Structure formats: C-alpha cells, structure tokens
Amino acid sequence: MSESKVAIYPGSFDPLTLGHEDIARRSLKFADRVIIAIAHHPTQSKDRLFSVDERLAMIKECFADEPRIDVAHFSGLLVDFCASRKVNIVVRGLRAVSDFEYEFQMALMNRELWPDLEMVFMTPAGEYTFLSASLIREIASLGGDVSRFVSPPVLRRLRERLGT
Ligand code: PNS
C-alpha cells in the first residue's frame, strides 16, 4: 500500500476566511490529509485579533465535517514544524500576481533552509480571490457585513469580539 500524502497549510488565519477554507479543501485532491498550521509568535500576539487558542477552536469547528483536515500551531520556523511532522509538502494560496513576489521569495528561502521541501500553490475559487483576513478584520471592525466571506463559527466570534 502506498504511504498517505500529508500536506501542511501554514498561515496566520486571523481569522480563517472562506478563501482559506477553499484552499484547504481543494488540497485534499492531492493530499490524503491536510494540517492547517497556525503560525504565531509571542511578540506578535498583541497585534492579533484572535489568540492562537481561539483560532485553533474556530478552525476546528469550520472543518468539523472533514476528518482529513487537522489543525495545529507552531511558533518557530515553518521548516522546523514541517520536519517535526515529517511532512515536506507545503500548500499556499495564490490569489493574484501581487501575492507572487512574497510567496516566491518565501518558497525559495524555505527550500534553502530545507532542500527537500516542496511548495504547492493553489488558486482559490474566483469569488474568493479578493478576500484577505486583514480586510475581513477591517470591515468587521467598522460594522460591515462579512457573513459572505467567513463561516458561521468565525462570524460568531467576530461579532462577540467586536461587539457588532
Ligand atoms: O498568512 P500569512 O501571514 O501570509 O502566513 C505567513 C507564514 C505564517 C506562512 C510565514 O510567515 C511563516 O512561514 N512563518 C513562520 C516563520 C518562518 O518560517 N519564517 C521564515 C519564512 S521563509
């Protein structure tokens, strides 16, 4: 029997958007299991809307229907987290050309750090290409309706946090 293929999908996910969900679910077309890995750094926590534990809980809830998607968090280098899980496939979403430069630089640097690493770039569904977590935070904090852009577990926590 062939070994199961695992991919890691890293990001800040503050919060998880429907675009992120779309990428994670699409990744199951080539991976048997996807680990959504929340990157965090203790010094950045005050700049975040949601704590790691809150992000972990809401992502778990969003994928409660999908046992092939796990959630984890890490605070060091992505390559070290990947090595600790013995996973050498990393998924990132590419929404537009503007994402490319940063992603390309990160991909090449990560490969310098761990030559065995492969980055897989996925395109979300067209209706999500303009979505970003920072826009969601901004719109929600200014009282805008983000219910079309995030799943109910995320929406509920946004409303609780922002009192909207
Ligand atoms: O969702 P984001 O914020 O664009 O995700 C960026 C992320 C978390 C994937 C990236 O910053 C990362 O991998 N951070 C972990 C620390 C690390 O490995 N840095 C070196 C990258 S070359």
Short mmCIF file of all heavy atoms in Angstrom, two decimals, residues 72-123:
data_model
loop_
_atom_site.label_atom_id
_atom_site.label_comp_id
_atom_site.label_asym_id
_atom_site.label_seq_id
_atom_site.Cartn_x
_atom_site.Cartn_y
_atom_site.Cartn_z
N ALA A 72 -3.20 22.61 13.79
CA ALA A 72 -2.10 22.64 14.77
C ALA A 72 -1.56 24.06 14.81
O ALA A 72 -1.99 24.91 14.03
CB ALA A 72 -1.00 21.66 14.34
N HIS A 73 -0.63 24.31 15.72
CA HIS A 73 0.02 25.62 15.70
C HIS A 73 1.51 25.45 15.95
O HIS A 73 1.96 24.42 16.48
CB HIS A 73 -0.62 26.57 16.72
CG HIS A 73 -0.51 26.11 18.13
ND1 HIS A 73 0.59 26.37 18.91
CD2 HIS A 73 -1.34 25.39 18.91
CE1 HIS A 73 0.42 25.84 20.09
NE2 HIS A 73 -0.75 25.23 20.12
N PHE A 74 2.28 26.44 15.53
CA PHE A 74 3.73 26.39 15.74
C PHE A 74 4.25 27.81 15.92
O PHE A 74 3.62 28.76 15.46
CB PHE A 74 4.43 25.68 14.57
CG PHE A 74 4.41 26.46 13.27
CD1 PHE A 74 5.53 27.19 12.86
CD2 PHE A 74 3.28 26.49 12.46
CE1 PHE A 74 5.52 27.90 11.67
CE2 PHE A 74 3.26 27.21 11.28
CZ PHE A 74 4.38 27.91 10.87
N SER A 75 5.40 27.91 16.60
CA SER A 75 5.89 29.26 16.84
C SER A 75 7.32 29.48 16.35
O SER A 75 7.86 30.55 16.53
CB SER A 75 5.79 29.59 18.34
OG SER A 75 6.57 28.68 19.06
N GLY A 76 7.92 28.48 15.74
CA GLY A 76 9.28 28.66 15.23
C GLY A 76 9.26 28.78 13.72
O GLY A 76 8.35 29.37 13.13
N LEU A 77 10.27 28.19 13.13
CA LEU A 77 10.35 28.20 11.66
C LEU A 77 9.37 27.17 11.08
O LEU A 77 9.21 26.07 11.64
CB LEU A 77 11.75 27.83 11.20
CG LEU A 77 12.84 28.90 11.37
CD1 LEU A 77 14.20 28.31 10.99
CD2 LEU A 77 12.53 30.13 10.50
N LEU A 78 8.80 27.53 9.94
CA LEU A 78 7.90 26.60 9.26
C LEU A 78 8.63 25.30 8.92
O LEU A 78 8.09 24.20 9.09
CB LEU A 78 7.35 27.27 7.98
CG LEU A 78 6.53 26.39 7.07
CD1 LEU A 78 5.28 25.87 7.78
CD2 LEU A 78 6.14 27.16 5.81
N VAL A 79 9.87 25.42 8.44
CA VAL A 79 10.60 24.19 8.05
C VAL A 79 10.81 23.27 9.25
O VAL A 79 10.79 22.04 9.11
CB VAL A 79 11.96 24.52 7.37
CG1 VAL A 79 11.76 25.09 5.98
CG2 VAL A 79 12.83 25.42 8.22
N ASP A 80 11.00 23.86 10.44
CA ASP A 80 11.20 23.02 11.63
C ASP A 80 9.89 22.30 12.01
O ASP A 80 9.91 21.13 12.41
CB ASP A 80 11.69 23.86 12.82
CG ASP A 80 13.12 24.33 12.62
OD1 ASP A 80 13.83 23.73 11.79
OD2 ASP A 80 13.52 25.32 13.27
N PHE A 81 8.79 23.04 11.87
CA PHE A 81 7.49 22.41 12.15
C PHE A 81 7.26 21.26 11.16
O PHE A 81 6.84 20.16 11.54
CB PHE A 81 6.36 23.44 12.07
CG PHE A 81 5.01 22.83 12.27
CD1 PHE A 81 4.61 22.37 13.52
CD2 PHE A 81 4.14 22.68 11.19
CE1 PHE A 81 3.36 21.78 13.70
CE2 PHE A 81 2.90 22.09 11.37
CZ PHE A 81 2.51 21.64 12.62
N CYS A 82 7.55 21.54 9.88
CA CYS A 82 7.34 20.50 8.85
C CYS A 82 8.21 19.28 9.15
O CYS A 82 7.73 18.14 9.09
CB CYS A 82 7.69 21.05 7.46
SG CYS A 82 6.55 22.29 6.89
N ALA A 83 9.47 19.54 9.51
CA ALA A 83 10.38 18.42 9.80
C ALA A 83 9.87 17.63 11.01
O ALA A 83 9.94 16.39 11.02
CB ALA A 83 11.79 18.94 10.04
N SER A 84 9.35 18.35 12.01
CA SER A 84 8.87 17.65 13.22
C SER A 84 7.69 16.74 12.89
O SER A 84 7.46 15.74 13.55
CB SER A 84 8.49 18.65 14.32
OG SER A 84 7.26 19.28 14.01
N ARG A 85 6.93 17.11 11.86
CA ARG A 85 5.79 16.28 11.45
C ARG A 85 6.15 15.33 10.31
O ARG A 85 5.30 14.63 9.77
CB ARG A 85 4.62 17.18 10.99
CG ARG A 85 4.02 18.06 12.08
CD ARG A 85 3.38 17.18 13.16
NE ARG A 85 2.75 17.98 14.19
CZ ARG A 85 1.43 18.12 14.34
NH1 ARG A 85 0.60 17.54 13.52
NH2 ARG A 85 0.96 18.84 15.32
N LYS A 86 7.42 15.43 9.86
CA LYS A 86 7.91 14.61 8.73
C LYS A 86 7.06 14.83 7.48
O LYS A 86 6.69 13.89 6.76
CB LYS A 86 7.94 13.13 9.09
CG LYS A 86 8.92 12.81 10.21
CD LYS A 86 9.02 11.31 10.41
CE LYS A 86 10.13 10.91 11.34
NZ LYS A 86 10.15 11.60 12.64
N VAL A 87 6.74 16.11 7.24
CA VAL A 87 5.93 16.47 6.07
C VAL A 87 6.76 17.43 5.21
O VAL A 87 7.30 18.41 5.73
CB VAL A 87 4.62 17.18 6.52
CG1 VAL A 87 3.86 17.73 5.32
CG2 VAL A 87 3.75 16.20 7.31
N ASN A 88 6.87 17.13 3.92
CA ASN A 88 7.68 18.02 3.08
C ASN A 88 6.86 18.69 1.97
O ASN A 88 7.40 19.16 0.99
CB ASN A 88 8.91 17.31 2.52
CG ASN A 88 8.54 16.24 1.51
OD1 ASN A 88 7.37 15.88 1.39
ND2 ASN A 88 9.52 15.76 0.77
N ILE A 89 5.55 18.71 2.14
CA ILE A 89 4.70 19.40 1.17
C ILE A 89 3.97 20.54 1.89
O ILE A 89 3.28 20.31 2.88
CB ILE A 89 3.65 18.45 0.53
CG1 ILE A 89 4.35 17.28 -0.14
CG2 ILE A 89 2.78 19.21 -0.47
CD1 ILE A 89 3.38 16.20 -0.63
N VAL A 90 4.17 21.75 1.39
CA VAL A 90 3.53 22.92 1.98
C VAL A 90 2.63 23.57 0.95
O VAL A 90 3.03 23.76 -0.21
CB VAL A 90 4.59 23.93 2.47
CG1 VAL A 90 3.96 25.28 2.80
CG2 VAL A 90 5.30 23.38 3.71
N VAL A 91 1.41 23.87 1.36
CA VAL A 91 0.43 24.49 0.46
C VAL A 91 0.32 25.97 0.79
O VAL A 91 0.28 26.34 1.97
CB VAL A 91 -0.97 23.85 0.66
CG1 VAL A 91 -2.02 24.57 -0.18
CG2 VAL A 91 -0.93 22.38 0.33
N ARG A 92 0.26 26.79 -0.23
CA ARG A 92 -0.05 28.20 -0.04
C ARG A 92 -1.04 28.61 -1.13
O ARG A 92 -1.01 28.09 -2.24
CB ARG A 92 1.21 29.05 -0.14
CG ARG A 92 2.18 28.89 1.01
CD ARG A 92 1.75 29.61 2.27
NE ARG A 92 1.89 31.05 2.17
CZ ARG A 92 1.39 31.89 3.07
NH1 ARG A 92 0.70 31.44 4.10
NH2 ARG A 92 1.55 33.19 2.92
N GLY A 93 -1.89 29.56 -0.78
CA GLY A 93 -2.84 30.06 -1.76
C GLY A 93 -2.23 31.25 -2.51
O GLY A 93 -1.52 32.06 -1.93
N LEU A 94 -2.51 31.31 -3.79
CA LEU A 94 -2.08 32.47 -4.61
C LEU A 94 -3.33 33.10 -5.18
O LEU A 94 -4.02 32.50 -5.99
CB LEU A 94 -1.21 31.99 -5.78
CG LEU A 94 0.29 31.99 -5.69
CD1 LEU A 94 0.89 31.73 -7.05
CD2 LEU A 94 0.85 33.28 -5.10
N ARG A 95 -3.61 34.32 -4.75
CA ARG A 95 -4.85 34.96 -5.21
C ARG A 95 -4.62 35.81 -6.44
O ARG A 95 -5.45 35.91 -7.32
CB ARG A 95 -5.43 35.84 -4.09
CG ARG A 95 -5.97 35.08 -2.93
CD ARG A 95 -6.12 35.98 -1.74
NE ARG A 95 -4.82 36.56 -1.38
CZ ARG A 95 -4.59 37.29 -0.31
NH1 ARG A 95 -5.56 37.56 0.51
NH2 ARG A 95 -3.38 37.76 -0.06
N ALA A 96 -3.49 36.47 -6.48
CA ALA A 96 -3.24 37.42 -7.57
C ALA A 96 -1.74 37.56 -7.76
O ALA A 96 -0.96 37.07 -6.94
CB ALA A 96 -3.84 38.77 -7.20
N VAL A 97 -1.37 38.24 -8.84
CA VAL A 97 0.05 38.43 -9.13
C VAL A 97 0.74 39.12 -7.95
O VAL A 97 1.89 38.84 -7.63
CB VAL A 97 0.23 39.28 -10.41
CG1 VAL A 97 1.70 39.51 -10.72
CG2 VAL A 97 -0.45 38.59 -11.57
N SER A 98 -0.02 39.98 -7.26
CA SER A 98 0.57 40.72 -6.14
C SER A 98 1.05 39.79 -5.02
O SER A 98 1.93 40.14 -4.25
CB SER A 98 -0.42 41.74 -5.60
OG SER A 98 -1.65 41.11 -5.36
N ASP A 99 0.48 38.61 -4.91
CA ASP A 99 0.93 37.64 -3.89
C ASP A 99 2.25 36.99 -4.31
O ASP A 99 2.97 36.47 -3.47
CB ASP A 99 -0.09 36.48 -3.75
CG ASP A 99 -1.32 36.88 -2.94
OD1 ASP A 99 -1.26 37.89 -2.22
OD2 ASP A 99 -2.32 36.16 -3.05
N PHE A 100 2.49 37.00 -5.60
CA PHE A 100 3.53 36.13 -6.13
C PHE A 100 4.93 36.41 -5.58
O PHE A 100 5.64 35.50 -5.16
CB PHE A 100 3.54 36.19 -7.67
CG PHE A 100 4.60 35.31 -8.27
CD1 PHE A 100 4.41 33.94 -8.36
CD2 PHE A 100 5.81 35.84 -8.69
CE1 PHE A 100 5.39 33.12 -8.88
CE2 PHE A 100 6.79 35.03 -9.21
CZ PHE A 100 6.58 33.66 -9.31
N GLU A 101 5.28 37.70 -5.55
CA GLU A 101 6.66 38.03 -5.19
C GLU A 101 7.03 37.53 -3.78
O GLU A 101 8.07 36.91 -3.57
CB GLU A 101 6.84 39.54 -5.28
CG GLU A 101 8.26 39.89 -5.66
CD GLU A 101 8.38 41.35 -6.02
OE1 GLU A 101 7.42 41.91 -6.61
OE2 GLU A 101 9.41 41.93 -5.70
N TYR A 102 6.11 37.82 -2.84
CA TYR A 102 6.32 37.40 -1.44
C TYR A 102 6.36 35.88 -1.35
O TYR A 102 7.24 35.30 -0.69
CB TYR A 102 5.17 37.98 -0.62
CG TYR A 102 5.06 37.52 0.80
CD1 TYR A 102 6.10 37.71 1.71
CD2 TYR A 102 3.88 36.91 1.27
CE1 TYR A 102 5.97 37.30 3.02
CE2 TYR A 102 3.74 36.50 2.58
CZ TYR A 102 4.79 36.69 3.46
OH TYR A 102 4.66 36.28 4.76
N GLU A 103 5.43 35.22 -2.02
CA GLU A 103 5.36 33.76 -1.95
C GLU A 103 6.59 33.10 -2.58
O GLU A 103 7.11 32.11 -2.07
CB GLU A 103 4.08 33.24 -2.64
CG GLU A 103 2.81 33.65 -1.95
CD GLU A 103 2.69 33.10 -0.53
OE1 GLU A 103 3.29 32.06 -0.22
OE2 GLU A 103 1.99 33.74 0.28
N PHE A 104 7.04 33.69 -3.69
CA PHE A 104 8.19 33.15 -4.42
C PHE A 104 9.44 33.26 -3.54
O PHE A 104 10.21 32.30 -3.39
CB PHE A 104 8.36 33.96 -5.71
CG PHE A 104 9.34 33.38 -6.67
CD1 PHE A 104 9.18 32.09 -7.16
CD2 PHE A 104 10.41 34.13 -7.13
CE1 PHE A 104 10.08 31.56 -8.08
CE2 PHE A 104 11.32 33.61 -8.03
CZ PHE A 104 11.16 32.32 -8.51
N GLN A 105 9.59 34.43 -2.91
CA GLN A 105 10.75 34.65 -2.03
C GLN A 105 10.72 33.67 -0.85
O GLN A 105 11.74 33.05 -0.52
CB GLN A 105 10.69 36.10 -1.53
CG GLN A 105 11.91 36.50 -0.74
CD GLN A 105 11.76 37.92 -0.18
OE1 GLN A 105 10.66 38.45 -0.09
NE2 GLN A 105 12.87 38.51 0.18
N MET A 106 9.53 33.52 -0.26
CA MET A 106 9.40 32.63 0.88
C MET A 106 9.66 31.17 0.48
O MET A 106 10.32 30.43 1.19
CB MET A 106 8.00 32.76 1.48
CG MET A 106 8.03 32.88 2.95
SD MET A 106 6.49 33.30 3.75
CE MET A 106 5.17 32.72 2.77
N ALA A 107 9.14 30.79 -0.68
CA ALA A 107 9.32 29.42 -1.15
C ALA A 107 10.81 29.11 -1.34
O ALA A 107 11.31 28.06 -0.90
CB ALA A 107 8.57 29.21 -2.46
N LEU A 108 11.52 30.05 -1.98
CA LEU A 108 12.94 29.79 -2.24
C LEU A 108 13.75 29.80 -0.95
O LEU A 108 14.67 28.99 -0.78
CB LEU A 108 13.49 30.83 -3.23
CG LEU A 108 12.93 30.67 -4.65
CD1 LEU A 108 13.46 31.77 -5.56
CD2 LEU A 108 13.26 29.31 -5.24
N MET A 109 13.39 30.69 -0.03
CA MET A 109 14.11 30.73 1.25
C MET A 109 13.85 29.46 2.05
O MET A 109 14.78 28.87 2.60
CB MET A 109 13.69 31.97 2.06
CG MET A 109 14.38 32.08 3.39
SD MET A 109 16.18 32.02 3.26
CE MET A 109 16.54 33.77 3.08
N ASN A 110 12.59 29.03 2.07
CA ASN A 110 12.28 27.79 2.80
C ASN A 110 13.04 26.61 2.21
O ASN A 110 13.50 25.74 2.94
CB ASN A 110 10.77 27.52 2.77
CG ASN A 110 10.04 28.29 3.85
OD1 ASN A 110 10.57 28.49 4.94
ND2 ASN A 110 8.82 28.73 3.56
N ARG A 111 13.18 26.61 0.91
CA ARG A 111 13.90 25.50 0.29
C ARG A 111 15.41 25.57 0.57
O ARG A 111 16.08 24.55 0.65
CB ARG A 111 13.63 25.45 -1.20
CG ARG A 111 14.01 24.09 -1.75
CD ARG A 111 13.93 24.06 -3.23
NE ARG A 111 12.60 23.70 -3.67
CZ ARG A 111 12.11 24.09 -4.84
NH1 ARG A 111 12.82 24.89 -5.62
NH2 ARG A 111 10.92 23.72 -5.21
N GLU A 112 15.90 26.81 0.74
CA GLU A 112 17.31 26.95 1.17
C GLU A 112 17.47 26.31 2.55
O GLU A 112 18.46 25.67 2.84
CB GLU A 112 17.69 28.43 1.29
CG GLU A 112 18.01 29.12 -0.02
CD GLU A 112 19.26 28.56 -0.67
OE1 GLU A 112 20.25 28.31 0.05
OE2 GLU A 112 19.23 28.35 -1.90
N LEU A 113 16.43 26.56 3.41
CA LEU A 113 16.51 26.06 4.79
C LEU A 113 16.30 24.55 4.86
O LEU A 113 16.84 23.87 5.72
CB LEU A 113 15.46 26.77 5.66
CG LEU A 113 15.64 28.29 5.82
CD1 LEU A 113 14.45 28.90 6.56
CD2 LEU A 113 16.93 28.61 6.55
N TRP A 114 15.47 24.03 3.94
CA TRP A 114 15.22 22.58 3.91
C TRP A 114 15.03 22.16 2.45
O TRP A 114 13.93 22.26 1.91
CB TRP A 114 13.98 22.22 4.73
CG TRP A 114 13.80 20.74 4.88
CD1 TRP A 114 14.76 19.77 4.72
CD2 TRP A 114 12.59 20.04 5.20
NE1 TRP A 114 14.21 18.53 4.92
CE2 TRP A 114 12.89 18.67 5.23
CE3 TRP A 114 11.28 20.45 5.47
CZ2 TRP A 114 11.94 17.70 5.51
CZ3 TRP A 114 10.34 19.47 5.75
CH2 TRP A 114 10.66 18.11 5.79
N PRO A 115 16.11 21.69 1.82
CA PRO A 115 16.08 21.42 0.37
C PRO A 115 15.01 20.42 -0.07
O PRO A 115 14.62 20.41 -1.23
CB PRO A 115 17.49 20.89 0.07
CG PRO A 115 18.34 21.47 1.16
CD PRO A 115 17.46 21.53 2.38
N ASP A 116 14.54 19.61 0.86
CA ASP A 116 13.57 18.57 0.48
C ASP A 116 12.14 19.12 0.41
O ASP A 116 11.22 18.41 0.01
CB ASP A 116 13.64 17.46 1.53
CG ASP A 116 13.14 16.14 0.96
OD1 ASP A 116 13.20 15.97 -0.28
OD2 ASP A 116 12.65 15.31 1.75
N LEU A 117 11.96 20.38 0.79
CA LEU A 117 10.61 20.94 0.87
C LEU A 117 10.04 21.28 -0.51
O LEU A 117 10.73 21.82 -1.36
CB LEU A 117 10.66 22.23 1.70
CG LEU A 117 9.32 22.78 2.13
CD1 LEU A 117 8.77 21.96 3.29
CD2 LEU A 117 9.48 24.23 2.56
N GLU A 118 8.78 20.93 -0.72
CA GLU A 118 8.09 21.34 -1.96
C GLU A 118 6.92 22.23 -1.59
O GLU A 118 6.11 21.89 -0.71
CB GLU A 118 7.57 20.11 -2.73
CG GLU A 118 8.66 19.23 -3.30
CD GLU A 118 9.63 19.95 -4.23
OE1 GLU A 118 9.25 20.99 -4.82
OE2 GLU A 118 10.77 19.49 -4.36
N MET A 119 6.82 23.37 -2.26
CA MET A 119 5.69 24.27 -2.04
C MET A 119 4.69 24.04 -3.17
O MET A 119 5.07 23.99 -4.34
CB MET A 119 6.12 25.74 -2.10
CG MET A 119 7.28 26.12 -1.19
SD MET A 119 6.83 26.32 0.55
CE MET A 119 5.69 27.67 0.48
N VAL A 120 3.43 23.94 -2.83
CA VAL A 120 2.37 23.77 -3.83
C VAL A 120 1.47 25.00 -3.75
O VAL A 120 0.95 25.31 -2.67
CB VAL A 120 1.54 22.49 -3.56
CG1 VAL A 120 0.41 22.36 -4.58
CG2 VAL A 120 2.43 21.27 -3.58
N PHE A 121 1.31 25.70 -4.86
CA PHE A 121 0.48 26.90 -4.87
C PHE A 121 -0.88 26.59 -5.46
O PHE A 121 -0.97 26.03 -6.55
CB PHE A 121 1.18 28.02 -5.64
CG PHE A 121 2.44 28.46 -4.97
CD1 PHE A 121 3.67 28.03 -5.41
CD2 PHE A 121 2.38 29.26 -3.85
CE1 PHE A 121 4.83 28.39 -4.76
CE2 PHE A 121 3.52 29.64 -3.17
CZ PHE A 121 4.76 29.20 -3.64
N MET A 122 -1.90 26.95 -4.69
CA MET A 122 -3.27 26.66 -5.12
C MET A 122 -4.01 27.96 -5.37
O MET A 122 -3.83 28.94 -4.63
CB MET A 122 -4.02 25.90 -4.01
CG MET A 122 -3.38 24.59 -3.58
SD MET A 122 -3.65 23.29 -4.79
CE MET A 122 -5.40 22.98 -4.59
N THR A 123 -4.88 27.96 -6.36
CA THR A 123 -5.70 29.14 -6.64
C THR A 123 -7.09 28.92 -6.06
O THR A 123 -7.69 27.88 -6.30
CB THR A 123 -5.87 29.31 -8.17
OG1 THR A 123 -4.62 29.05 -8.77
CG2 THR A 123 -6.32 30.70 -8.51
#
